Structures are given as C-alpha cells and as structure tokens.
Amino acid sequence: GVDGWLRFYDATFNATKTLSLGTAAEDTLAGVAADASGEVWVCGTTAGTLGAAPFGGKDVFVRAYVDDAPLFTRQLGTASDESAVGCAVDEDGAVFVLGNTGGDLFAPREGAADAFLVGLGLLGNYR
C-alpha cells in the first residue's frame, strides 16, 4: 500500500533523519505539527494496524515523536471509514485532530458523515 514519511531537519536545514510511516495497507498523512518543546505530531488515515487493531474500514491515527523517536501512536475509528483532515498543537502541548467519520465516533452520528475534533495529551490521553 501507500505509506507516508516524515523527515527531520537540524537548525541549518540539514536532513537528520527520515522515517517511514505506514503499514502493509494504504496509509496517508494529513498533517504535522510541532510544539514549543520540540514534540512533533503526525496525523493521518490508515487501513491497517498502526497503534491498535483496525476498527473496520479506514481509521485515523496520531503519532507523537520526541527527539525524532516515536513516543506513542493512537488509532481511532469505528466500523465505518474515518479520515483525518489535519492537526494542530496548542500552547499546553495537546494535539487536536480534525477529521470525518461515517460511524458513531464518540457520539451518535447525525448525518451520513460527520466531522469530529479530538484532543490528545502528550501521552495519548483524551483531552
């Protein structure tokens, strides 16, 4: 399948590390964000196992990196398809992921597909 990649640079824009991010299934990246202390967050969509067993269909994932090493990966989904649209980090170091769901993700669905916004702390706990 398709995978994403993440490249790290030093202060003079020399590439220091390139990491592949994906599974044997199709995986896409939707966003990357960094906080003031240097943690890097990546969000995207996977049809495979990236942090948890698939929930069914495509799932959203969030991975946190500290010093270019993975800290945690959280996979979110339902039996339907989910997709990430982007992510951002606030001043407290929490990441917020915006996406779409065709299932009942965190609440009963109100339409054929609903938008969602979920916040995660540095250790992957829901905010």
Side-chain angles (χ1 to χ4, degrees), residues 1-7 18-32 41-46 50-51 61-65 70 72-73:
V2 176
D3 289 340
W5 55 270
L6 181 64
R7 180 167 288 164
T18 301
L19 302 172
S20 177
L21 183 58
T23 68
E26 182 179 335
D27 310 292
T28 58
L29 301 181
V32 61
W41 304 80
V42 178
C43 65
T45 304
T46 182
L50 194 61
F61 72 87
V62 180
R63 180 171 283 174
Y65 291 89
F72 78 86
T73 305

Side-chain angles (χ1 to χ4, degrees), residues 38-40 64-71 122:
E39 284 88 15
V40 175
Y65 291 89
V66 175
D67 296 327
D68 70 28
L71 177 63
L122 184 58

Side-chain angles (χ1 to χ4, degrees), residues 80-81 101-103 109-114:
S80 296
D81 284 343
T101 180
R109 188 176 68 253
E110 294 189 24
D114 288 353

